[in-house]
Structures are given as structure tokens and as C-alpha cells.
């Protein structure tokens, strides 16, 4: 049994994002190299084993929405895109990403999703105060659930 989910992030961002943040966002989406300084998601702790077999925590930065190619479990294609909304009534940035994710990745992804929600256009604000950032579907389910950020919390499944 596999705990894989289809994550679809689809959000329009306001244009108040710095060049450094855009570079990091492109890196997370697999659209550019890793910037020298990370400011969106700053910690990537992983457990490693030292020479004596003791666990240690190291920082291992990795892009969070950079999957590409055929999806192994959810079908279709894994991809990400970031486009300028210049010339449209709502300026800023349009972001879409479709990824396969495991619940072990929810915490790191949540940090990025909270950052995106804080910069999302008002059109993503729901009547209950939550910000809709996309959809999440367990790989065996037929219908996805809306993925929201409310009060700084991501609405991950329990």
C-alpha cells in the first residue's frame, strides 16, 4: 500500500515578490538553479547516520515542486510552470505545479504553501477566510479535495 498523493498547486501571486524570492521559487519548481541564499523555505533537515551508526540531523536543501515526467502512481505528467501576468487585469505571477507527494513531505511543502498563500491574489480567498492554493487527491481516490491554508495551517488529510 502506498501513501502517495497527487498535489496540484494553482495560484496567482501578487507582484510584490522580490527577485531573490522569484529565483528561489523558480528553483523549487525545477525552472532554475539554486540561489545562494534561501529565504522562502530556509531549513531542510534530514536524518543521516554518522560513522558510529548514530543519527544526526543535516541540512539538505532540495526543490519541493520540481518533479518532471511521467507520474509513477497518480497517472499523467508531473510538471511546474511560473508565468508573468503582465498585461492582464491582475498583474503578478501565475503558478501551476502537479506533483506526486508523500505525507513525509507535507511539513516542508507546507512552509512553501503558506508562503504562497500569503502572497496570493484576493481571488483565492474563500468566504470562510481560508486561502485556496490547489487540490490534493489520494492516489486511489477519484475526486480531489480543495487544499487550503487557514490561520497559518495547511489543510492536509489526517
Amino acid at each position: 500500500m502506498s501513501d502517495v498523493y497527487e498535489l496540484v498547486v494553482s495560484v496567482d501571486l501578487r507582484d510584490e515578490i522580490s527577485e531573490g524570492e522569484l529565483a528561489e521559487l523558480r528553483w523549487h519548481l525545477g525552472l532554475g538553479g539554486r540561489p545562494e541564499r534561501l529565504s522562502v523555505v530556509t531549513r531542510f533537515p534530514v536524518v543521516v547516520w554518522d560513522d558510529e551508526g548514530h543519527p544526526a540531523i543535516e541540512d539538505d536543501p532540495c526543490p519541493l515542486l520540481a518533479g518532471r515526467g511521467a507520474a509513477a502512481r497518480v497517472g499523467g505528467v508531473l510538471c511546474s510552470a511560473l508565468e508573468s501576468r503582465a498585461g492582464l487585469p491582475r498583474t503578478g505571477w501565475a503558478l501551476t505545479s502537479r506533483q506526486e507527494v508523500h505525507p513525509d513531505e507535507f511539513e516542508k511543502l507546507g512552509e512553501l504553501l503558506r508562503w504562497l498563500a500569503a502572497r496570493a491574489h484576493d481571488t483565492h480567498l474563500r468566504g470562510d477566510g481560508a486561502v485556496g492554493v490547489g487540490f490534493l487527491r489520494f492516489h486511489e481516490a477519484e475526486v480531489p479535495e480543495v487544499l487550503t491554508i487557514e490561520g497559518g495551517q495547511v489543510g492536509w488529510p489526517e
Side-chain angles (χ1 to χ4, degrees), residues 3 5 103 106 136 138 145 153-158:
D3 290 338
Y5 288 81
F106 285 176
L136 189 70
F138 183 65
E145 295 181 27
Q153 299 298 312
V154 181
W156 297 119
E158 305 219 357

Side-chain angles (χ1 to χ4, degrees), residues 140-154:
E140 293 177 345
E142 292 183 21
V143 179
E145 295 181 27
V146 175
L147 186 59
T148 59
I149 313 294
E150 184 174 11
Q153 299 298 312
V154 181

Side-chain angles (χ1 to χ4, degrees), residues 3-149:
D3 290 338
V4 173
Y5 288 81
E6 172 191 34
L7 170 67
V8 176
V9 179
S10 183
V11 64
D12 291 334
L13 305 169
R14 297 184 305 270
D15 58 4
E16 58 199 42
I17 300 171
S18 72
E19 284 302 317
E21 291 169 330
L22 277 174
E24 184 173 347
L25 193 51
R26 286 185 181 104
W27 172 67
H28 278 297
L29 298 171
L31 303 173
R34 178 177 153 202
E36 268 186 50
R37 184 176 168 277
L38 299 177
S39 63
V40 175
V41 179
T42 58
R43 294 179 357 97
F44 296 82
V46 294
V47 177
V48 296
W49 302 96
D50 66 16
D51 293 338
E52 287 97 39
H54 299 100
I57 296 179
E58 291 186 0
D59 196 44
D60 186 20
C62 62
L64 299 175
L65 299 172
R68 293 278 187 278
R73 298 294 307 221
V74 300
V77 174
L78 307 179
C79 57
S80 290
L82 179 67
E83 296 291 334
S84 171
R85 294 185 54 82
L88 296 173
R90 277 190 329 269
T91 60
W93 298 91
L95 182 151
T96 298
S97 181
R98 181 174 188 268
Q99 302 293 313
E100 286 183 321
V101 298
H102 187 275
D104 290 347
E105 301 169 81
F106 285 176
E107 187 175 335
K108 287 180 195 173
L109 282 167
E111 191 172 345
L112 178 58
L113 295 176
R114 286 188 298 274
W115 186 89
L116 292 171
R119 288 149 184 82
H121 274 285
D122 291 343
T123 56
H124 295 281
L125 186 60
R126 297 166 32 126
D128 60 4
V131 178
V133 294
F135 303 92
L136 189 70
R137 179 182 67 86
F138 183 65
H139 78 280
E140 293 177 345
E142 292 183 21
V143 179
E145 295 181 27
V146 175
L147 186 59
T148 59
I149 313 294

